[in-house]
Amino acid sequence: MSGGKKFVFCEGKGDELVIRSLAKEMGLAVTVEQYGGKDNLANFLQSLSKRPEFAQQQVAAMAILRDADEDSAAAFASVRDILRHNHFEAPDANENFKESTPRVGVFIIGVGGKGMMEDLCLRSVADRPEFACVDEYFRCIAQHSARKEFKSKARVRVWMASHADWEYHLGKAAEEGYWPWESPAFEALKNFLRAL
Amino acid sequence: MLRPFLKLASWLGFLKLKSFKMLKSLHITNFRGFRDLKIDSLKRVNLLTGHNNTGKTGVLEALVLLLSDPESGQRQLLPNLFRPVGGDYNENFWKWLIYNKSAAINLQIKASFDDRNDFAVILHPKRHAPIDFDVSIFHASEDVGGFDCFCGSFGEAQRILGQVQRINFKPAVFSTKPSDPVQDAIDFNRVILIRRKKQVEKMLRQIEPRLLTIEALQIRQPGQSSTTTTTTVPPVGSGVPALQTSQPGQQSTPLIYAEISGLSEMIPVTQLGQGFNRLLDIYSEIVATDAKVLLIDEIENGLHYSVLPLVWKGLFLAAQEFDVQIFATTHSWECILKADEAARERENYELELIRLDRVNEDVKATIIDQGALATAKELKWEMR
């Protein structure tokens, strides 16, 4: 069904906005939606087949995106099992598709087998000279306060605070063009979306 | 000659034993746009949705053919029961009951009941111009492990079908046509005649707690007293036109009035809102006809969205109190959500949301369960 609809399902709203912006940049005709967090994926997939597009067999391909968190292999296995449990086909490996009807792909997001969308976006700007200032800021905070650990969501906020006068979260930053889509950091994700 | 007689005796015995409970599944073959439609799960309240021309009203028509008492004449009213048919009924309606208007195939409407019995009507096109059907009726019981079949000319089948009324399959039908307050008043007299007015009032009181009584009154000209209309009442759903209850020179017409706590005089129920009137109409019809299946096409039509919670609450009450099974169609997502909310407020969730989906050249039924509906609400999916 090459002419059918194509869906990308992301964990949350921020991821959805990032993928939608990237897909727009790439000129892809895909529908991007969120599934309400990894803990809701099973409920989501259980209900998905009831949607008119799926019940009426109008869907050519769908992709499930999920954060790697601590372990991308475990994250992939979890998505694969939930897909199969809910009567969807699943690919055998991450960043791949199962050639079924509809085609089903899984992409685990992170850097070096860990992390989340924020890590991927930060990686895309990590070679900028001012990025060292973000690291320096957190080093300074850790030195002078009780707080020693900082998540990548906080790093995104600091990075964006250094580039805009108002609060931009991950998704809004994507919409406003603050993530360089041409960066090699996005290459695997772009290849995956092209294959959808 | 003995064999057909035995079959008939077996059929009538079955009818006597059988008491109506609930349709559990429906299987429609070669009827209208349905080549092979299976609805495997039916509940007490069934809400059909789907795009235009997927066959929502067609399911209601199939249920009329399957369940209605042939002596009521309801089958003959089918062409205009849910939607107007212009011109030649034969060409523009009856022939189109058969899938693809084919003269060479039989159409079958079959239901399973929660007492494990099946019941089916099969129409065999006998002659195409004008259309003429042979009708077969099937019933099956796991107790006897087989089918009995009665075939014959249309007239003969009608005579056999005439016994079906014993099993109380009667459907009450509501279409999108607005109700006529005068006819409603005349119909309400039947409720009074069979002494079930208090039951209707009790039901309506759960919707409008200030309600004390309801009367069908004919208000005469000044100087004349008002009176309840106790003139001849036509059978409800018989297709008989409304009675001319006023005398020559009089302008009075019967209307239903309600006594409401705190009001100095009785008020026409037409002033009590769309939801109240729709439910009064439905309750009266169920009571007056002793219907066990309620068919409502495009239930939201003519109703402001704000009264939908009230109407759904009232319908679930009716389903329980009158022991009726409800089949309704809707185009409205809001209507679906309100039905779901009303169902959740009850002890048991008794709503089945069924969407008809066109898949290639066929129509399939998708059951949207409670979980899927909750996900759809949360993520704002389009599920109609």
Side-chain angles (χ1 to χ4, degrees), chain B residues 206-330:
Chain B
Q206 295 185 59
I207 305 300
E208 174 49 87
R210 298 174 303 156
L211 177 72
L212 299 174
T213 58
I214 286 181
E215 299 290 350
L217 298 174
Q218 190 169 349
I219 308 298
R220 299 187 184 281
Q221 292 296 314
Q224 294 180 304
S225 61
S226 64
T227 178
T228 52
T229 58
T230 52
T231 48
T232 309
V233 180
V236 175
S238 65
V240 176
L243 290 177
Q244 298 298 315
T245 52
S246 56
Q247 298 296 317
Q250 291 183 317
Q251 297 299 313
S252 61
T253 51
L255 279 179
I256 304 176
Y257 289 79
E259 185 181 0
I260 300 288
S261 175
L263 293 185
S264 59
E265 61 181 79
M266 294 184 86
I267 182 172
V269 293
T270 50
Q271 303 304 305
L272 292 178
Q274 298 165 323
F276 184 91
N277 273 274
R278 182 66 62 94
L279 290 171
L280 169 60
D281 200 14
I282 288 171
Y283 293 168
S284 301
E285 181 82 5
I286 293 171
V287 165
T289 62
D290 205 20
K292 289 298 172 193
V293 176
L294 184 60
L295 307 175
I296 312 174
D297 197 23
E298 296 185 11
I299 187 168
E300 75 278 10
N301 262 19
L303 294 176
H304 191 261
Y305 72 91
S306 62
V307 303
L308 286 172
L310 188 76
V311 169
W312 277 113
K313 181 185 175 189
L315 286 173
F316 277 100
L317 281 170
Q320 180 186 301
E321 179 74 16
F322 299 125
D323 193 23
V324 296
Q325 192 172 12
I326 297 174
F327 293 83
T329 72
T330 186

Side-chain angles (χ1 to χ4, degrees), chain B residues 14 112-113 115-118 139-147:
Chain B
F14 161 74
S112 297
F113 294 83
D115 60 359
R116 295 183 298 172
N117 277 304
D118 289 350
H139 76 262
S141 162
E142 288 187 7
D143 294 335
V144 295
F147 285 92

Side-chain angles (χ1 to χ4, degrees), chain B residues 22 24 41-47 114 312 315-321 323-327 339-354 370:
Chain B
M22 201 164 76
K24 297 300 286 183
S41 171
L42 297 172
K43 287 186 177 165
R44 177 65 69 181
V45 178
N46 303 280
L47 185 54
D114 55 3
W312 277 113
L315 286 173
F316 277 100
L317 281 170
Q320 180 186 301
E321 179 74 16
D323 193 23
V324 296
Q325 192 172 12
I326 297 174
F327 293 83
D340 175 58
E341 285 170 19
R344 284 171 192 274
E345 284 175 9
R346 303 191 61 79
E347 193 175 334
N348 297 317
Y349 189 87
E350 293 192 295
L351 173 70
E352 197 73 289
L353 177 61
I354 303 155
Q370 210 179 341

Side-chain angles (χ1 to χ4, degrees), chain A residues 44 47 50-52 55-57, chain B residues 355 357 367 372 375 381-382:
Chain A
F44 177 90
S47 305
K50 313 283 187 184
R51 279 179 62 161
Q56 294 163 16
Q57 299 175 12
Chain B
R355 192 188 57 236
D357 290 306
I367 304 291
T375 303
W381 285 354
E382 173 58 74

Side-chain angles (χ1 to χ4, degrees), chain A residues 15-56:
Chain A
D15 296 15
E16 178 190 332
L17 295 176
V18 171
I19 298 298
R20 190 175 291 161
S21 301
L22 176 57
K24 185 180 174 187
E25 173 73 17
M26 295 170 68
L28 300 176
V30 296
T31 302
V32 185
E33 297 181 10
Q34 60 150 323
Y35 52 84
K38 64 185 178 212
D39 294 336
N40 196 45
L41 183 59
N43 281 337
F44 177 90
L45 289 175
Q46 194 174 28
S47 305
L48 191 63
S49 59
K50 313 283 187 184
R51 279 179 62 161
E53 304 93 332
F54 284 82
Q56 294 163 16

Side-chain angles (χ1 to χ4, degrees), chain B residues 30-141:
Chain B
N30 295 326
F31 177 76
R32 285 204 169 275
F34 309 132
R35 192 157 48 188
D36 188 38
L37 177 72
K38 289 178 183 168
I39 305 177
D40 292 327
S41 171
L42 297 172
K43 287 186 177 165
R44 177 65 69 181
V45 178
N46 303 280
L47 185 54
L48 291 150
T49 188
H51 287 173
N52 278 335
N53 206 27
T54 47
K56 300 181 291 296
T57 307
V59 172
L60 303 189
E61 289 173 329
L63 288 168
V64 171
L65 278 177
L66 181 72
L67 302 176
S68 63
D69 171 7
E71 291 185 351
S72 72
Q74 208 162 29
R75 281 199 182 92
Q76 279 64 38
L77 297 174
L78 194 60
N80 283 309
L81 209 50
F82 295 106
R83 43 190 161 196
V85 175
D88 181 346
Y89 285 8
N90 191 57
E91 283 298 321
N92 299 339
F93 182 81
W94 292 111
K95 283 185 180 177
W96 286 105
L97 289 188
I98 314 166
Y99 183 79
N100 211 17
K101 210 181 176 186
S102 168
I105 53 176
N106 298 333
L107 63 90
Q108 174 176 304
I109 304 158
K110 178 180 174 185
S112 297
F113 294 83
D114 55 3
D115 60 359
R116 295 183 298 172
N117 277 304
D118 289 350
F119 182 75
V121 169
I122 299 181
L123 276 73
H124 318 259
K126 190 168 63 175
R127 200 175 59 226
H128 208 52
I131 191 81
D132 189 12
F133 294 107
D134 271 348
V135 181
S136 303
I137 309 159
F138 287 83
H139 76 262
S141 162

Side-chain angles (χ1 to χ4, degrees), chain B residues 146-219:
Chain B
F147 285 92
D148 281 344
C149 168
F150 297 95
C151 305
S153 69
F154 192 76
E156 185 184 351
Q158 283 285 69
R159 184 171 58 75
I160 296 166
L161 280 165
Q163 308 300 326
V164 175
Q165 60 188 309
R166 295 186 186 190
I167 54 174
N168 238 351
F169 275 154
K170 294 172 191 169
V173 175
F174 289 86
S175 69
T176 54
K177 296 167 191 166
S179 72
D180 172 6
V182 175
Q183 187 63 44
D184 287 348
I186 294 167
D187 291 347
F188 192 71
N189 273 304
R190 182 154 294 278
V191 176
I192 296 170
L193 282 175
I194 60 174
R195 303 183 67 183
R196 293 181 70 184
K197 184 171 84 83
K198 286 190 186 307
Q199 189 183 14
V200 172
E201 287 170 347
K202 180 185 155 198
M203 293 283 291
L204 287 168
R205 225 168 269 132
Q206 295 185 59
I207 305 300
E208 174 49 87
R210 298 174 303 156
L211 177 72
L212 299 174
T213 58
I214 286 181
E215 299 290 350
L217 298 174
Q218 190 169 349
I219 308 298

